[in-house]
Amino acid sequence: MRLDERYINAVMIAGLLALPLYALAVDEPFTITLVTRAVILALAAVGLNIILGIGGMVSFGHAAFFGLGGYAMGILAYHAQTYTALDLGFISFEGTKSMPLIWLVAMVVSAIAALFIGVLSLRTSGVYFIMITLAFGQMFYYFAISWAQYGGEDGLSIYIRNDFPGLNTLEPIQFFGICFVILCAVLLLKARLQASPFGLALNAARQSAARVQTVGMSPMRLRLLAFVLSGAITGLAGALYADLNRFVSPAMFSWQLSGELIVLIIIGGVGRLMGPVIGACIFVALEHFLGGLTEFWHIYLGLILLGIVLFGRGGLLGYLTGKEGAHV
Amino acid sequence: MSEPVLATQNLVKSFGALKATDDVSIDLRLGEIHAVIGPNGAGKSTLISQISGGLRPDAGRVFLDGRDVSHLGTEARARAGLGRTFQISALCMEDSVLENAVLGAMGAEGAAWRFWRAALKTGALVERAEEALERVGLADERETRCANLSHGQRRQLEVAVALTLAPKAFVMDEPMAGLGAGGSKRLTGFLDGLREQAPILLVEHDMDAVFALADRISVLVYGKVIATGTTDEIRASREVREAYLGEDA
Ligand SMILES: Nc1ncnc2c1ncn2[C@@H]1O[C@H](COP(=O)(O)OP(=O)(O)OP(=O)(O)O)[C@@H](O)[C@H]1O
Ligand SMILES: [Mg+2]
């Protein structure tokens, strides 16, 4: 099979929009929620794919940013709904229920954490990088579990979904719309970034760090900026995910989630624009259809992964377009 | 005589008990090609790495354009005007020839921190890259993936990327390696003209090329410079003949 990748991308986006609209027409709100979940996971994975796909950095700790985004939302909304003060030392305020503000905080907090983790972990590569990012992810996980003020192991529930000016976010289709627009915007950003001089240099640093240095650029700085951007996007996805569930718990920090993000990128196609989107759709579909039948649906996910790794490293997109050209 | 463009001062580098660089002081002057020759394992690549910043010397200093760059890393030395090529091609194999050259142009123009406009649609970068490709004779291969280039073409691309940097000095580690007679000859002709643009410190095994091109030659044996002089002086030197040229000259 040899299909134009742009054609597949367009079909994907159209399908992602059509399915919830159809569900709206036939009044199946749960389907809308399901697609929204896929869109948010895709967003998180697009964030990860900036470093994984372009930069070749296998972060096994991206749940750290997903969870930070989730907790940024949880904590801000918790204070707003309980009218308690959130005291940060230099300022004290009663949280917020405004999505744009929450997103901003989620992204800034994730970016700062990514800067910190990046500086410490980017000196390593290969398996060491995987292990050290995993360790940071676990650090956040255990911290969240022990953070009794915000629910500890039980997590935090938010009574009603946060607000977006001019929209009724309680309507599943409207919240879906928000997430969909954000995903599209981030996909556009990723596409531009990948073709930009920065993307070219980051991609070159993956292939030959010595080459990049020899032309006067620092692979370390390129990777660090990519890592920060990546963390911020995954953090934003985390805030949306928590808002979708109206719930945030330490599970958002779990290493399983980090692993799932990597797996769904590999399934869709590493380094490809829509790889994470296809991967997320398959992931959510499997989880929904097989998860109802068996607790061990992850096995089927594993089999798909195995097939893809064995029979072509370009993921599904690589298969459909006849261009494998993948790299991990 | 003007100040040298590039100079090393008493460089020393040991790997364990092995002295790979032993008190090496050489310089490169405006308009010249200074060849460094020596048997396999003499320490030529090790010397190049210390000049370009990839390897820290145990002692000694490196000057570029009169400025002490010893404390600078590879990136900073490249920005300061050092154009280096590798003995074993270090290119981005998945990228096209043009992308490899554009990367060099980006380095030269400090354009790595641009995030929106496509690199291959940025006129200034592409023009600079294409000019360099044209000069080494790779213009027709601009769309070819680097992995699909022949060995000789990769060597040409190495040189082209260095050209995009418009450096103050070139440092080339065996650019002719594996080129074959025809390719060697063509590159010799090209380097001959290049010295006008910037002087070249040339590590090379191909003696025909060295004697055709070099204004001066330094002979490196066991990490030590045993002689520096014009081609005629080196050819005539007994010490050099005994130590190295023996069978060649
Ligand atoms: N990183 C290293 N660690 C230990 N020994 C090294 C290292 N790099 C080089 N050497 C040794 O230093 C000596 C000089 O090596 P170098 O590569 O500089 O030689 P060369 O003159 O470039 O040889 P060639 O003509 O084969 O390219 C060799 O004996 C080599 O084995
Ligand atoms: Mg060598």
Side-chain angles (χ1 to χ4, degrees):
Chain A
M1 249 189 291
R2 241 152 252 258
L3 297 170
D4 189 335
E5 193 164 339
R6 273 173 306 181
Y7 173 71
I8 300 174
N9 292 353
V11 170
M12 280 298 301
I13 291 288
L16 220 45
L17 191 57
L19 186 56
L21 289 176
Y22 170 75
L24 182 71
V26 299
D27 196 25
E28 278 191 36
F30 183 68
T31 304
I32 302 178
T33 300
L34 216 55
V35 180
T36 309
R37 185 175 150 78
V39 164
I40 294 172
L41 282 178
L43 180 64
V46 171
L48 175 58
N49 208 23
I50 289 178
I51 59 166
L52 182 65
I54 313 178
M57 293 166 260
V58 185
S59 164
F60 205 162
H62 251 48
F65 311 119
F66 198 64
L68 279 173
Y71 271 86
M73 165 329 216
I75 291 171
L76 288 171
Y78 168 78
H79 284 283
Q81 75 185 7
T82 55
Y83 303 103
T84 50
L86 174 56
D87 192 357
L88 294 176
F90 59 100
I91 54 166
S92 172
F93 61 107
E94 282 195 348
T96 175
K97 295 283 286 177
S98 154
M99 279 191 192
L101 257 178
I102 288 170
W103 298 341
L104 185 70
V105 172
M107 290 175 77
V108 169
V109 168
S110 301
I112 292 170
L115 183 68
F116 173 75
I117 295 176
V119 164
L120 292 175
S121 60
L122 284 171
R123 307 204 164 273
T124 65
S125 61
V127 173
Y128 298 100
F129 182 75
I130 295 178
M131 297 312 282
I132 197 167
T133 48
L134 172 65
F136 276 114
Q138 289 302 92
M139 213 177 79
F140 281 101
Y141 176 73
Y142 287 112
F143 179 76
I145 279 189
S146 61
W147 207 6
Q149 186 189 354
Y150 296 115
E153 227 166 327
D154 301 329
L156 276 175
S157 284
I158 302 306
Y159 307 145
I160 40 172
R161 197 168 278 153
N162 295 301
D163 315 317
F164 189 89
L167 292 179
N168 177 6
T169 57
L170 296 177
E171 289 281 341
I173 194 71
Q174 299 208 14
F175 184 63
F176 164 81
I178 292 173
C179 298
F180 181 77
V181 167
I182 291 178
L183 176 65
C184 289
V186 169
L187 282 170
L188 176 68
L189 183 87
K190 159 84 166 33
R192 299 301 302 230
L193 192 76
Q194 186 152 7
S196 75
F198 174 76
L200 189 81
L202 182 64
N203 191 37
R206 169 175 58 79
Q207 299 171 63
S208 171
R211 166 52 60 207
V212 170
Q213 288 181 310
T214 306
V215 299
M217 299 183 247
S218 159
M220 177 73 192
R221 281 192 209 166
L222 292 164
R223 290 184 186 132
L224 186 59
L225 179 64
F227 197 79
V228 168
L229 267 172
S230 168
I233 291 170
T234 301
L236 173 62
L240 291 170
Y241 189 79
D243 234 332
L244 173 71
N245 301 325
R246 279 169 265 173
F247 175 64
V248 50
S249 78
M252 283 185 75
F253 282 118
S254 69
W255 65 265
Q256 286 92 336
L257 199 125
S258 298
E260 281 163 8
L261 290 181
I262 296 175
V263 166
L264 60 83
I265 291 176
I266 294 177
I267 288 179
V270 174
R272 288 172 194 275
L273 183 62
M274 295 293 279
V277 181
I278 294 190
C281 291
I282 291 176
F283 181 85
V284 170
L286 280 181
E287 181 185 48
H288 175 64
F289 292 113
L290 294 177
L293 301 176
T294 162
E295 267 189 57
F296 303 109
W297 69 273
H298 274 101
I299 291 175
Y300 295 93
L301 188 70
L303 286 177
I304 292 185
L305 183 66
L306 200 65
I308 279 166
V309 173
L310 289 178
F311 297 110
R313 312 213 317 128
L316 274 181
L317 270 175
Y319 177 70
L320 291 173
T321 56
K323 282 182 290 192
E324 298 212 339
H327 42 257
V328 175
Chain B
M1 175 107 295
S2 64
E3 207 173 324
V5 178
L6 180 68
T8 71
Q9 200 177 68
N10 310 107
L11 284 183
V12 178
K13 179 78 194 177
S14 303
F15 297 116
L18 176 79
K19 256 200 171 164
T21 307
D22 191 357
D23 198 27
V24 172
S25 302
I26 59 172
D27 62 10
L28 180 67
R29 299 173 199 148
L30 214 55
E32 78 167 346
I33 293 182
H34 185 162
V36 176
I37 62 175
N40 288 112
K44 304 181 295 294
S45 294
T46 304
L47 175 64
I48 297 286
S49 291
Q50 290 169 84
I51 292 174
S52 61
L55 205 59
R56 294 268 147 188
D58 300 334
R61 294 197 284 176
V62 178
F63 295 87
L64 181 60
D65 228 12
R67 174 176 161 220
D68 189 347
V69 295
S70 312
H71 58 285
L72 299 180
T74 307
E75 300 102 273
R77 288 188 206 189
R79 284 198 296 272
L82 205 63
R84 184 238 169 119
T85 69
F86 290 88
Q87 180 173 358
I88 299 165
S89 299
L91 297 161
C92 301
M93 289 297 168
E94 294 169 18
D95 288 351
S96 70
V97 165
L98 183 63
E99 283 169 327
N100 271 279
V102 163
L103 186 73
M106 280 165 46
E109 306 210 349
W113 307 106
R114 295 185 199 162
F115 306 94
W116 194 249
R117 188 130 169 252
L120 297 187
K121 287 186 184 145
T122 305
L125 296 177
V126 174
E127 275 161 32
R128 196 180 184 114
E130 282 182 333
E131 189 200 312
L133 293 176
E134 187 97 33
R135 285 177 70 190
V136 302
L138 273 182
D140 293 339
E141 304 290 339
R142 63 197 289 279
E143 305 294 343
T144 310
R145 249 165 77 103
C146 189
N148 297 334
L149 290 180
S150 71
H151 175 80
Q153 288 171 321
R154 288 182 199 173
R155 306 303 304 168
Q156 285 171 286
L157 183 52
E158 274 275 337
V159 175
V161 177
L163 284 180
T164 60
L165 298 175
K168 291 185 179 130
F170 289 100
V171 180
M172 300 191 176
D173 198 354
E174 301 201 28
M176 319 267 176
L179 269 194
S184 253
K185 212 161 163 186
R186 233 175 303 128
L187 188 55
T188 302
F190 178 71
L191 294 184
D192 198 13
L194 189 59
R195 80 183 95 194
E196 302 302 325
Q197 184 186 323
I200 309 172
L201 188 70
L202 178 69
V203 168
E204 192 46 67
H205 267 306
D206 181 337
M207 284 307 137
D208 292 335
V210 166
F211 283 106
L213 283 172
D215 298 290
R216 287 189 299 154
I217 300 176
S218 289
V219 184
L220 203 62
V221 178
Y222 293 121
K224 242 184 164 50
V225 177
I226 60 164
T228 296
T230 63
T231 48
D232 290 339
E233 285 164 4
I234 294 299
R235 229 192 290 256
S237 157
R238 241 183 107 178
E239 200 185 353
V240 173
R241 296 169 81 102
E242 276 168 11
Y244 175 51
L245 287 178
E247 64 284 356
D248 270 309

